[in-house]
Amino acid sequence: MAINDKSGVFGIYTSSNDRETHFYIRDKKGHAKAFDVPGANPSSLNPVAINSAGYAVGTAQTDSDISFERTPDGTLEFINPSDSAIDVFVTGLTEDGATVGGL
């Protein structure tokens, strides 16, 4: 789980409906939005960081390890697509929106 300085939370939960694990982002007012990474193994979800602007980064496994950024409007941008020859592991996010990680 990750928390920013505006009380935004990025985490995972297990749904009682499908018994699968999903990501969620919750704002300081308590409004939560669930989302999934297409093709990701639910047991591999790892929320890494969320900045005060609401950008979040995390990792998951599809056919390979992937890292992604979720923008405040809900768009998922993959830092290394699942067909990439190199796995990039995101380990953080700056307030300016730069991702931090390694190969």
Side-chain angles (χ1 to χ4, degrees):
M1 179 181 351
I3 302 172
N4 67 21
D5 62 353
K6 291 188 176 181
S7 300
V9 177
F10 177 33
I12 56 174
Y13 74 99
T14 301
S15 169
S16 61
N17 294 329
D18 63 10
R19 298 195 178 8
E20 295 286 340
T21 303
H22 307 275
F23 285 111
Y24 73 90
I25 291 184
R26 191 190 78 198
D27 65 21
K28 66 181 177 181
K29 294 180 182 178
H31 302 113
K33 293 182 182 176
F35 69 97
D36 294 309
V37 173
N41 176 347
S43 67
S44 73
L45 307 183
N46 181 30
V48 174
I50 184 169
N51 69 14
S52 61
Y55 288 83
V57 293
T59 62
Q61 279 187 331
T62 56
D63 294 335
S64 63
D65 294 317
I66 60 169
S67 293
F68 66 90
E69 177 181 63
R70 184 182 186 274
T71 64
D73 70 2
T75 302
L76 284 177
E77 297 178 6
F78 294 95
I79 297 168
N80 59 321
S82 60
D83 62 351
S84 174
I86 299 173
D87 288 335
V88 176
F89 296 95
V90 65
T91 58
L93 179 66
T94 69
E95 283 301 312
D96 295 333
T99 55
V100 180
L103 301 174

